[in-house]
Amino acid sequence: MRLEPITWERLADTLADRLLDLRTADGGAWPRVAVDGAPAAATGELARRVSDALRLRGRTALVIGMEGFLRPASLRFEYGHEDVDAYYSGWFDTGALWREVFGPLDPGGSGRVLPDLWDPVTDRATRSPYVGLPPGGLLLLHGPLLLGHWFPFDLSVHVRLSPGALLRRTPEEERWTLPAFERYDTETDPAATADVVVRADDPRHPAWNG
């Protein structure tokens, strides 16, 4: 894969320009975009940059993070606090994402999306109000392991870190999760699956496949 150097600012602007013309595969009114990557890849920051760039272009975008759809601690830690298989397939409430985020954005849906469901700090429901996304508004869902759930994304961005960079940039207390990302690379191959790949080994000097 050929990658070209780019700045984060220009990347956000270029992606925003591309998203202006994005159409849904199912004829719905709300394009759905993934910004996929490990927590160390700071996908939320890129999603917010793109959202800001879209707003300057007159388009609404709703940024939602996977961390807002964690399952309760009793379910996440059922097999221990550092169970890799549980992290890979059981930490995130994909059923709630289908019900509260993707369902309302289906053709004929209401466009009323729940921005988050669970607060991992308090281990309680957030009770956040629903947000109405106007027709033509975009969903920017960011977080880890996004491309392995058959979510109906109309465009996907994968922020990639080499194994060495992922190790360096992951806090020591979270490094037990790294085998999950090795498995993700093997089973899902996000670098080949995503429409756009951004390499961020050096956070000051990203590169992308254009």
Side-chain angles (χ1 to χ4, degrees), residues 95-115:
L97 280 163
W98 280 105
R99 182 179 67 251
E100 304 290 359
V101 177
F102 289 104
L105 303 182
D106 281 342
S110 67
R112 295 180 69 249
V113 173
L114 190 66

PDB file of all heavy atoms in Angstrom, residues 95-115:
ATOM      1  N   GLY A  95     -25.244  -4.624  20.464  1.00  0.00           N
ATOM      2  CA  GLY A  95     -26.696  -4.647  20.319  1.00  0.00           C
ATOM      3  C   GLY A  95     -27.308  -3.280  20.539  1.00  0.00           C
ATOM      4  O   GLY A  95     -28.220  -2.857  19.808  1.00  0.00           O
ATOM      5  N   ALA A  96     -26.802  -2.566  21.549  1.00  0.00           N
ATOM      6  CA  ALA A  96     -27.298  -1.211  21.810  1.00  0.00           C
ATOM      7  C   ALA A  96     -26.932  -0.269  20.673  1.00  0.00           C
ATOM      8  O   ALA A  96     -27.718   0.622  20.318  1.00  0.00           O
ATOM      9  CB  ALA A  96     -26.742  -0.698  23.132  1.00  0.00           C
ATOM     10  N   LEU A  97     -25.757  -0.448  20.093  1.00  0.00           N
ATOM     11  CA  LEU A  97     -25.375   0.395  18.954  1.00  0.00           C
ATOM     12  C   LEU A  97     -26.308   0.174  17.770  1.00  0.00           C
ATOM     13  O   LEU A  97     -26.736   1.129  17.119  1.00  0.00           O
ATOM     14  CB  LEU A  97     -23.928   0.107  18.549  1.00  0.00           C
ATOM     15  CG  LEU A  97     -22.862   0.785  19.410  1.00  0.00           C
ATOM     16  CD1 LEU A  97     -21.515   0.116  19.205  1.00  0.00           C
ATOM     17  CD2 LEU A  97     -22.767   2.267  19.072  1.00  0.00           C
ATOM     18  N   TRP A  98     -26.632  -1.083  17.493  1.00  0.00           N
ATOM     19  CA  TRP A  98     -27.591  -1.353  16.415  1.00  0.00           C
ATOM     20  C   TRP A  98     -28.940  -0.703  16.728  1.00  0.00           C
ATOM     21  O   TRP A  98     -29.557  -0.085  15.858  1.00  0.00           O
ATOM     22  CB  TRP A  98     -27.785  -2.864  16.248  1.00  0.00           C
ATOM     23  CG  TRP A  98     -26.709  -3.552  15.463  1.00  0.00           C
ATOM     24  CD1 TRP A  98     -25.713  -4.346  15.943  1.00  0.00           C
ATOM     25  CD2 TRP A  98     -26.531  -3.511  14.038  1.00  0.00           C
ATOM     26  NE1 TRP A  98     -24.925  -4.802  14.913  1.00  0.00           N
ATOM     27  CE2 TRP A  98     -25.401  -4.320  13.739  1.00  0.00           C
ATOM     28  CE3 TRP A  98     -27.211  -2.882  13.002  1.00  0.00           C
ATOM     29  CZ2 TRP A  98     -24.943  -4.502  12.428  1.00  0.00           C
ATOM     30  CZ3 TRP A  98     -26.759  -3.059  11.705  1.00  0.00           C
ATOM     31  CH2 TRP A  98     -25.637  -3.861  11.426  1.00  0.00           C
ATOM     32  N   ARG A  99     -29.383  -0.834  17.967  1.00  0.00           N
ATOM     33  CA  ARG A  99     -30.721  -0.361  18.344  1.00  0.00           C
ATOM     34  C   ARG A  99     -30.799   1.157  18.448  1.00  0.00           C
ATOM     35  O   ARG A  99     -31.763   1.772  17.966  1.00  0.00           O
ATOM     36  CB  ARG A  99     -31.103  -1.000  19.684  1.00  0.00           C
ATOM     37  CG  ARG A  99     -32.496  -0.646  20.180  1.00  0.00           C
ATOM     38  CD  ARG A  99     -32.781  -1.349  21.496  1.00  0.00           C
ATOM     39  NE  ARG A  99     -31.943  -0.864  22.594  1.00  0.00           N
ATOM     40  CZ  ARG A  99     -30.960  -1.561  23.145  1.00  0.00           C
ATOM     41  NH1 ARG A  99     -30.663  -2.785  22.711  1.00  0.00           N
ATOM     42  NH2 ARG A  99     -30.251  -1.051  24.148  1.00  0.00           N
ATOM     43  N   GLU A 100     -29.791   1.764  19.081  1.00  0.00           N
ATOM     44  CA  GLU A 100     -29.879   3.185  19.440  1.00  0.00           C
ATOM     45  C   GLU A 100     -29.161   4.119  18.464  1.00  0.00           C
ATOM     46  O   GLU A 100     -29.390   5.325  18.498  1.00  0.00           O
ATOM     47  CB  GLU A 100     -29.300   3.403  20.841  1.00  0.00           C
ATOM     48  CG  GLU A 100     -29.944   2.565  21.937  1.00  0.00           C
ATOM     49  CD  GLU A 100     -31.375   2.998  22.244  1.00  0.00           C
ATOM     50  OE1 GLU A 100     -31.873   3.958  21.621  1.00  0.00           O
ATOM     51  OE2 GLU A 100     -32.010   2.369  23.119  1.00  0.00           O
ATOM     52  N   VAL A 101     -28.301   3.566  17.621  1.00  0.00           N
ATOM     53  CA  VAL A 101     -27.538   4.419  16.704  1.00  0.00           C
ATOM     54  C   VAL A 101     -27.843   4.076  15.251  1.00  0.00           C
ATOM     55  O   VAL A 101     -28.303   4.927  14.477  1.00  0.00           O
ATOM     56  CB  VAL A 101     -26.020   4.313  16.986  1.00  0.00           C
ATOM     57  CG1 VAL A 101     -25.229   5.148  15.971  1.00  0.00           C
ATOM     58  CG2 VAL A 101     -25.696   4.766  18.404  1.00  0.00           C
ATOM     59  N   PHE A 102     -27.612   2.823  14.872  1.00  0.00           N
ATOM     60  CA  PHE A 102     -27.780   2.485  13.460  1.00  0.00           C
ATOM     61  C   PHE A 102     -29.248   2.342  13.066  1.00  0.00           C
ATOM     62  O   PHE A 102     -29.641   2.764  11.969  1.00  0.00           O
ATOM     63  CB  PHE A 102     -27.008   1.207  13.132  1.00  0.00           C
ATOM     64  CG  PHE A 102     -25.523   1.403  13.138  1.00  0.00           C
ATOM     65  CD1 PHE A 102     -24.760   0.937  14.194  1.00  0.00           C
ATOM     66  CD2 PHE A 102     -24.893   2.076  12.104  1.00  0.00           C
ATOM     67  CE1 PHE A 102     -23.391   1.125  14.214  1.00  0.00           C
ATOM     68  CE2 PHE A 102     -23.521   2.280  12.122  1.00  0.00           C
ATOM     69  CZ  PHE A 102     -22.763   1.806  13.180  1.00  0.00           C
ATOM     70  N   GLY A 103     -30.073   1.767  13.934  1.00  0.00           N
ATOM     71  CA  GLY A 103     -31.489   1.606  13.603  1.00  0.00           C
ATOM     72  C   GLY A 103     -32.181   2.906  13.256  1.00  0.00           C
ATOM     73  O   GLY A 103     -32.865   2.998  12.223  1.00  0.00           O
ATOM     74  N   PRO A 104     -32.031   3.962  14.077  1.00  0.00           N
ATOM     75  CA  PRO A 104     -32.685   5.230  13.758  1.00  0.00           C
ATOM     76  C   PRO A 104     -32.177   5.883  12.474  1.00  0.00           C
ATOM     77  O   PRO A 104     -32.834   6.795  11.948  1.00  0.00           O
ATOM     78  CB  PRO A 104     -32.352   6.104  14.969  1.00  0.00           C
ATOM     79  CG  PRO A 104     -32.101   5.135  16.084  1.00  0.00           C
ATOM     80  CD  PRO A 104     -31.435   3.973  15.436  1.00  0.00           C
ATOM     81  N   LEU A 105     -31.013   5.432  11.970  1.00  0.00           N
ATOM     82  CA  LEU A 105     -30.462   6.015  10.749  1.00  0.00           C
ATOM     83  C   LEU A 105     -30.734   5.151   9.524  1.00  0.00           C
ATOM     84  O   LEU A 105     -30.252   5.452   8.432  1.00  0.00           O
ATOM     85  CB  LEU A 105     -28.955   6.242  10.908  1.00  0.00           C
ATOM     86  CG  LEU A 105     -28.542   7.130  12.090  1.00  0.00           C
ATOM     87  CD1 LEU A 105     -27.036   7.328  12.104  1.00  0.00           C
ATOM     88  CD2 LEU A 105     -29.254   8.484  12.047  1.00  0.00           C
ATOM     89  N   ASP A 106     -31.518   4.087   9.698  1.00  0.00           N
ATOM     90  CA  ASP A 106     -31.951   3.297   8.555  1.00  0.00           C
ATOM     91  C   ASP A 106     -32.902   4.119   7.679  1.00  0.00           C
ATOM     92  O   ASP A 106     -33.492   5.111   8.150  1.00  0.00           O
ATOM     93  CB  ASP A 106     -32.691   2.046   9.036  1.00  0.00           C
ATOM     94  CG  ASP A 106     -31.751   0.955   9.500  1.00  0.00           C
ATOM     95  OD1 ASP A 106     -30.560   0.999   9.151  1.00  0.00           O
ATOM     96  OD2 ASP A 106     -32.211   0.052  10.232  1.00  0.00           O
ATOM     97  N   PRO A 107     -33.091   3.736   6.421  1.00  0.00           N
ATOM     98  CA  PRO A 107     -34.078   4.434   5.591  1.00  0.00           C
ATOM     99  C   PRO A 107     -35.442   4.460   6.274  1.00  0.00           C
ATOM    100  O   PRO A 107     -35.928   3.441   6.763  1.00  0.00           O
ATOM    101  CB  PRO A 107     -34.113   3.583   4.315  1.00  0.00           C
ATOM    102  CG  PRO A 107     -32.767   2.955   4.251  1.00  0.00           C
ATOM    103  CD  PRO A 107     -32.388   2.674   5.677  1.00  0.00           C
ATOM    104  N   GLY A 108     -36.041   5.626   6.344  1.00  0.00           N
ATOM    105  CA  GLY A 108     -37.315   5.783   7.018  1.00  0.00           C
ATOM    106  C   GLY A 108     -37.205   5.907   8.512  1.00  0.00           C
ATOM    107  O   GLY A 108     -38.233   5.995   9.213  1.00  0.00           O
ATOM    108  N   GLY A 109     -35.979   5.911   9.070  1.00  0.00           N
ATOM    109  CA  GLY A 109     -35.789   6.028  10.501  1.00  0.00           C
ATOM    110  C   GLY A 109     -36.064   7.434  11.004  1.00  0.00           C
ATOM    111  O   GLY A 109     -36.273   8.370  10.233  1.00  0.00           O
ATOM    112  N   SER A 110     -36.022   7.570  12.322  1.00  0.00           N
ATOM    113  CA  SER A 110     -36.350   8.860  12.939  1.00  0.00           C
ATOM    114  C   SER A 110     -35.187   9.836  12.939  1.00  0.00           C
ATOM    115  O   SER A 110     -35.391  11.043  13.078  1.00  0.00           O
ATOM    116  CB  SER A 110     -36.781   8.619  14.396  1.00  0.00           C
ATOM    117  OG  SER A 110     -35.677   8.141  15.166  1.00  0.00           O
ATOM    118  N   GLY A 111     -33.950   9.343  12.835  1.00  0.00           N
ATOM    119  CA  GLY A 111     -32.784  10.205  12.939  1.00  0.00           C
ATOM    120  C   GLY A 111     -32.451  10.597  14.367  1.00  0.00           C
ATOM    121  O   GLY A 111     -31.513  11.362  14.594  1.00  0.00           O
ATOM    122  N   ARG A 112     -33.195  10.065  15.344  1.00  0.00           N
ATOM    123  CA  ARG A 112     -32.946  10.377  16.761  1.00  0.00           C
ATOM    124  C   ARG A 112     -32.031   9.309  17.347  1.00  0.00           C
ATOM    125  O   ARG A 112     -32.416   8.162  17.506  1.00  0.00           O
ATOM    126  CB  ARG A 112     -34.254  10.448  17.539  1.00  0.00           C
ATOM    127  CG  ARG A 112     -35.169  11.583  17.122  1.00  0.00           C
ATOM    128  CD  ARG A 112     -36.459  11.617  17.927  1.00  0.00           C
ATOM    129  NE  ARG A 112     -36.195  12.006  19.320  1.00  0.00           N
ATOM    130  CZ  ARG A 112     -36.314  11.188  20.359  1.00  0.00           C
ATOM    131  NH1 ARG A 112     -36.648   9.917  20.177  1.00  0.00           N
ATOM    132  NH2 ARG A 112     -36.091  11.624  21.575  1.00  0.00           N
ATOM    133  N   VAL A 113     -30.816   9.739  17.662  1.00  0.00           N
ATOM    134  CA  VAL A 113     -29.753   8.820  18.038  1.00  0.00           C
ATOM    135  C   VAL A 113     -29.355   9.049  19.492  1.00  0.00           C
ATOM    136  O   VAL A 113     -29.318  10.180  19.975  1.00  0.00           O
ATOM    137  CB  VAL A 113     -28.527   9.048  17.120  1.00  0.00           C
ATOM    138  CG1 VAL A 113     -27.335   8.237  17.586  1.00  0.00           C
ATOM    139  CG2 VAL A 113     -28.882   8.703  15.676  1.00  0.00           C
ATOM    140  N   LEU A 114     -29.052   7.963  20.192  1.00  0.00           N
ATOM    141  CA  LEU A 114     -28.539   8.071  21.556  1.00  0.00           C
ATOM    142  C   LEU A 114     -27.017   8.205  21.489  1.00  0.00           C
ATOM    143  O   LEU A 114     -26.339   7.307  20.994  1.00  0.00           O
ATOM    144  CB  LEU A 114     -28.920   6.839  22.374  1.00  0.00           C
ATOM    145  CG  LEU A 114     -28.665   6.910  23.885  1.00  0.00           C
ATOM    146  CD1 LEU A 114     -29.565   7.973  24.513  1.00  0.00           C
ATOM    147  CD2 LEU A 114     -28.919   5.552  24.528  1.00  0.00           C
ATOM    148  N   PRO A 115     -26.439   9.318  21.975  1.00  0.00           N
ATOM    149  CA  PRO A 115     -24.997   9.536  21.810  1.00  0.00           C
ATOM    150  C   PRO A 115     -24.132   8.674  22.717  1.00  0.00           C
ATOM    151  O   PRO A 115     -22.960   8.440  22.408  1.00  0.00           O
ATOM    152  CB  PRO A 115     -24.824  11.023  22.132  1.00  0.00           C
ATOM    153  CG  PRO A 115     -25.964  11.334  23.058  1.00  0.00           C
ATOM    154  CD  PRO A 115     -27.107  10.485  22.585  1.00  0.00           C
TER     155      PRO A 115
END
